[in-house]
Amino acid sequence: MKNTSIVNMTKPSGTSSRQPQSTQSTKKNSEDASSFEELYLAKDYKGAAQFLLNNKQQFDSGIFHFNLGTVYSKMGDYPIARFHLEKAIQEGYVNSASLNNLNFIRSQNNNEDLTTSSSLPDKIIDSLSSLPSQGYISLTLALILLSLLLIKSKIVKQKISIMLILLLSFSPLALSHFYVEKLNKAITLNEVVIYEGPSKIFNEKGKLKPGSKIILGDFKDGWFYIKFPISFAGWISKDQLGLY
């Protein structure tokens, strides 16, 4: 079993909620967890980050990104912290700690991006892209169970209605597989200039602050087209993006 050491991050008050916790299954994992926790508790955040990067294979993916996002937040590097926390949630590490930490990071960045957009299409895309794959699976299972109960209780009797309700039950899973998983999500790691075309020879349209969440569309010669938020549509260089 991989190391499952986790840490709870900064609360809005600026204090840690409690000491790191860990579960180890081998002596090596136990030593890794102890080393990481010692660095973290000693407030050697650069050392803790480097330790995580050097021992990535010892951690489950979601926990690795959660821990790294936590450490970068302690270092005040909120854009890259947001990237790793968003990645942790996408990998299925969803709990009160990861959600609270991500909300804290968003409050520190205070950006105009997909998450803060008031546009209805942007809000829908943000909600869809923020739900991990396990969420779509759980929703599908719940709808299947509800459908079976309706069929068993004979509330739904006609064959065509039964077929339709069963098909609809699988719609969340289909939406996830055929659309959401294909979205190119990214966090801007530095300030990014938006251009009217895929090159610096085109006119500038605006800028995105570090730590902004965006959905990318077409890719051409090292440039991505911003698909969402709609108000920031344009082309940006891939060099300053954390893709996930």
Side-chain angles (χ1 to χ4, degrees), residues 1-5 23 25-26 28-33 48-65 67-68:
M1 181 183 295
K2 292 184 179 180
N3 183 287
T4 56
S5 173
T23 301
S25 59
T26 67
K28 177 64 168 62
N29 286 344
S30 179
E31 291 173 352
D32 287 341
Q50 192 60 52
F51 180 88
L52 287 169
L53 293 170
N54 291 341
N55 296 274
K56 182 178 180 179
Q57 70 280 1
Q58 299 299 326
F59 295 82
D60 291 324
S61 180
I63 293 172
F64 166 78
H65 287 288
N67 283 344
L68 198 54

Side-chain angles (χ1 to χ4, degrees), residues 65-145:
H65 287 288
F66 173 74
N67 283 344
L68 198 54
T70 295
V71 172
Y72 277 120
S73 175
K74 288 289 191 178
M75 294 164 61
D77 194 342
Y78 297 123
I80 195 168
R82 180 175 186 180
F83 165 73
H84 285 290
L85 288 170
E86 295 275 11
K87 180 71 173 177
I89 291 173
Q90 178 182 272
E91 293 289 330
Y93 191 74
V94 185
N95 52 38
S96 59
S98 60
L99 295 174
N100 179 67
N101 294 352
L102 182 57
N103 286 333
F104 171 69
I105 293 298
R106 289 170 179 168
S107 70
Q108 297 303 300
N109 286 330
N110 193 28
N111 292 344
E112 292 183 30
D113 65 356
L114 184 64
T115 303
T116 59
S117 174
S118 59
S119 166
L120 181 58
D122 289 344
K123 286 181 176 293
I124 292 173
I125 292 298
D126 183 49
S127 297
L128 292 175
S129 64
S130 298
L131 187 64
S133 58
Q134 291 90 334
Y136 287 96
I137 294 172
S138 298
L139 183 56
T140 299
L141 292 174
L143 289 175
I144 291 173
L145 179 59

Side-chain angles (χ1 to χ4, degrees), residues 204-244:
E204 293 185 14
K205 290 188 63 178
K207 295 180 180 179
L208 278 167
K209 293 181 180 180
S212 299
K213 179 182 177 180
I214 53 178
I215 302 295
L216 305 171
D218 294 338
F219 180 75
K220 183 177 181 181
D221 299 328
W223 293 77
F224 277 109
Y225 182 78
I226 300 175
K227 198 171 182 179
F228 297 98
I230 296 173
S231 60
F232 286 94
W235 293 84
I236 56 175
S237 172
K238 70 173 184 178
D239 295 336
Q240 304 300 326
L241 300 176
L243 304 174
Y244 69 101

Side-chain angles (χ1 to χ4, degrees), residues 7-11 14-18 40 43-46 48 67-78 81 104-105:
V7 294
N8 288 304
M9 202 193 67
T10 312
K11 288 185 173 180
T15 59
S16 296
S17 55
R18 61 175 183 267
Y40 180 83
K43 298 184 179 181
D44 182 3
Y45 301 126
K46 288 185 178 180
N67 283 344
L68 198 54
T70 295
V71 172
Y72 277 120
S73 175
K74 288 289 191 178
M75 294 164 61
D77 194 342
Y78 297 123
F104 171 69
I105 293 298

